[in-house]
Amino acid sequence: MMHIYDDNNIFAKILRGEIPCDKVYEDDYVLAFNDIAPKAPVHVLLIPKGSYISIDDFGANGSAEEIKGFYAALAKIAREKGIAETGFRSIANTGVHGGQEVAHFHVHILGGNIGRKTARPDGS
Ligand code: 5GP
């Protein structure tokens, strides 16, 4: 398990503007951008601007404002992307057993007919 925040992780570099991203949404609390290797028609990564390693770090140490801001942004993005109505997945991989690759807390927002085992012919 990772315990000390690494300022050189790739999402910290994106937050500092050192690496570009395909930005979807930004406010005082969060930045959201498209995943570089999308696994669904909609695949957005939502990250807090604060230096939190994981969802458990964020839940334990994030302020009420940061946590509220994070989930308010998630809801806003889902509405703006048109997936709030159809449904979507939000996934936070955590630590070694969770398969977390980037040690800055992020939620994957995945939408676009990924919940069904089989797609309808019209793709809905
Ligand atoms: P994890 O496995 O940590 O939950 O997911 C990390 C995600 O970050 C992966 O889906 C990967 O495609 C994405 N990713 C890694 N590096 C970059 C990058 O430089 N830019 C963007 N937009 N996504 C990245």
Side-chain angles (χ1 to χ4, degrees), residues 23 25-32 47 49 69-70 72-73 76:
K23 185 159 74 175
Y25 177 79
E26 181 172 16
D27 64 23
D28 287 349
Y29 301 106
V30 303
L31 177 67
I47 71 175
K49 287 193 169 173
F70 190 85
K76 193 168 190 176

Side-chain angles (χ1 to χ4, degrees), residues 34-109:
N34 288 315
D35 196 294
I36 205 164
K39 297 189 172 53
V42 175
H43 189 169
V44 173
L45 297 172
L46 174 61
I47 71 175
K49 287 193 169 173
S51 300
Y52 298 101
I53 298 169
S54 63
I55 196 168
D56 89 78
D57 184 17
F58 188 62
N61 302 311
S63 70
E65 289 77 13
E66 287 174 306
I67 292 170
K68 164 67 181 168
F70 190 85
Y71 287 99
L74 190 155
K76 193 168 190 176
I77 292 161
R79 283 198 304 277
E80 284 176 0
K81 284 283 175 187
I83 57 173
E85 285 293 315
T86 48
F88 60 96
R89 289 182 181 169
S90 355
I91 297 169
N93 298 321
T94 307
V96 175
H97 286 186
Q100 183 177 1
E101 288 171 7
V102 180
H104 182 111
F105 171 44
H106 53 281
V107 167
H108 298 253
I109 303 169

